[in-house]
Amino acid sequence: MHRTAQRTRTDVRTLEAIALAATHSAAIASRAWVGRHDKNAADAAATEAMRQVLADAPGRGTVVIGEGEKDEAPMLYNGETVGNGCGPDFDIAVDPLEGTSFCAKNHPGAMATIAFAEPGTLWSPGPGFYMDKIVVPPRAKGVVDLADTPERTLANVAHALGKPINRLRVVVMDKPRHQELIARLLRAGASVHTPAEGDVAGSLEVLLPTGDADLLLGIGGTPEGVMTAAAVRALGGDMLGRLAPQREEEAAAIRAAGMDVDRVYTCDELVGGDALFAATGVTGGSLLSRPRESEGAVLAESMLISSGQVRRIAHTGAHPNRGGIR
């Protein structure tokens, strides 16, 4: 469900600096917990650091989708407002530390992430925590359907990309719920990458020209889904999503909220206006390097996706777009 949009249009590009500052601060804060096998502490550190930056954001931001409800997560809960009020209104989707287990165990793939959009344009999943997703690059836009079998999806994407199925690289999270899906993809001849978590990172591997995947399938979190949709919209790819409750309590709450678990949402329904996505590396990997000491400062690498462009930024300060964007 979308909230009513404001009449005055917000140029989200004016928020690039605060998005980068937020993910940078979260990444540096969680860095102290890398390898300490305490994912909750790492997540809390990232969230608090990001919240402090957002408190000074120019304008008024509304967290449409965060990591927890107010009673369970005192920071960046759904519906919370941030900012100094002196500037544009904007929507926020946030996961201060994607890959908490990766951070705790010092495995590649953890990063701080956030998405900003025009006010009233981010889809709110209400009490839905999980969603089924398909993400494809721009060349495969319009050829996928959540009603298709995995085999038909592979065939359609392979045809659109001009390659045989046995050259397709598919990202599916390594979860018990995906055992049959993974088996069918393998039997069809595709190569399947199965990270333990991190479907935003998996989607970026699909979307980026330098990425190492052609397709993402499977069930992941709704915050990650909305943030992914922001990147998909900015880069011209394609995405479909559908609520996929994993427990009866979640399904009952969705029904009580008047939402339809069978409805398929397009990317433009998940993000209905201009949006940007930002991420900063925490433990390194193929997308972003880990923060490192450099001449007495901590140098971090971030990625900014906005207006059809992907920019990589190496920075140490709170406002990294004051130089260093390339």
Side-chain angles (χ1 to χ4, degrees):
M1 64 184 78
H2 288 289
R3 294 166 294 108
T4 302
Q6 302 286 328
R7 290 185 179 180
T8 302
R9 180 166 179 158
T10 297
D11 184 353
V12 296
R13 291 173 298 180
T14 64
L15 302 168
E16 291 178 354
I18 199 70
L20 289 167
T23 59
H24 176 270
S25 294
I28 298 305
S30 58
R31 178 174 178 258
W33 293 96
V34 171
R36 295 185 179 275
H37 289 243
D38 191 340
K39 65 179 185 178
N40 291 334
D43 199 23
T47 305
E48 175 59 21
M50 184 174 281
R51 190 178 192 277
Q52 289 180 10
V53 171
L54 292 176
D56 294 327
R60 183 181 64 183
T62 300
V63 180
V64 175
I65 182 164
E67 280 234 280
E69 299 297 334
K70 182 175 181 179
D71 290 341
E72 297 180 6
M75 299 165 285
L76 298 175
Y77 56 85
N78 296 353
E80 182 177 1
T81 58
V82 298
N84 60 20
C86 301
D89 287 355
F90 56 98
D91 282 357
I92 303 171
V94 61
D95 186 351
L97 182 59
E98 192 200 35
T100 54
S101 294
F102 292 160
C103 179
K105 298 176 182 179
N106 196 11
H107 292 170
M111 58 185 184
T113 59
I114 200 167
F116 290 163
E118 296 177 85
T121 62
L122 288 189
W123 173 70
S124 172
F129 299 116
Y130 291 91
M131 65 187 300
D132 199 2
K133 311 166 192 175
I134 296 180
V135 179
V136 293
R139 288 173 57 200
K141 188 171 184 176
V143 307
V144 292
D145 190 326
L146 275 173
D148 286 342
T149 64
E151 294 82 3
R152 182 173 180 81
T153 296
L154 288 176
N156 289 342
V157 173
H159 182 264
L161 298 182
K163 60 171 66 175
I165 290 176
N166 63 11
R167 287 185 54 208
L168 286 184
R169 298 157 297 179
V170 186
V171 178
V172 182
M173 285 198 296
D174 187 8
K175 304 292 183 182
R177 60 180 177 264
H178 292 147
Q179 287 181 355
E180 181 182 354
L181 172 61
I182 292 169
R184 292 177 68 171
L185 293 170
L186 291 171
R187 284 197 299 269
S191 170
V192 185
H193 176 54
T194 54
E197 55 184 296
D199 55 347
V200 173
S203 296
L204 291 174
E205 292 283 9
V206 171
L207 294 167
L208 297 175
T210 57
D212 194 36
D214 302 299
L215 169 67
L216 178 134
L217 292 172
I219 297 170
T222 48
E224 292 84 353
V226 175
M227 283 191 294
T228 293
V232 171
R233 183 180 176 97
L235 292 177
D238 204 3
M239 177 179 178
L240 298 172
R242 177 176 56 207
L243 287 171
Q246 297 301 291
R247 294 182 176 84
E248 178 52 36
E249 310 91 89
E250 183 184 355
I254 290 171
R255 291 193 296 268
M259 302 181 74
D260 184 357
V261 296
D262 295 320
R263 178 178 173 179
V264 175
Y265 295 86
T266 66
C267 181
D268 288 345
E269 290 173 315
L270 296 173
V271 181
D274 287 343
L276 66 83
F277 169 87
T280 302
V282 175
T283 57
S286 60
L287 291 173
L288 293 163
S289 61
R290 66 173 60 217
R292 63 186 187 276
E293 301 286 341
S294 177
E295 298 180 353
V298 179
L299 182 67
E301 184 182 23
S302 295
M303 175 188 302
L304 178 68
I305 298 176
S306 176
S307 303
Q309 294 184 319
V310 180
R311 285 172 282 175
R312 294 181 180 274
I313 305 100
H315 55 101
T316 58
H319 294 281
N321 77 333
R322 294 176 181 169
I325 292 183
R326 61 184 187 276

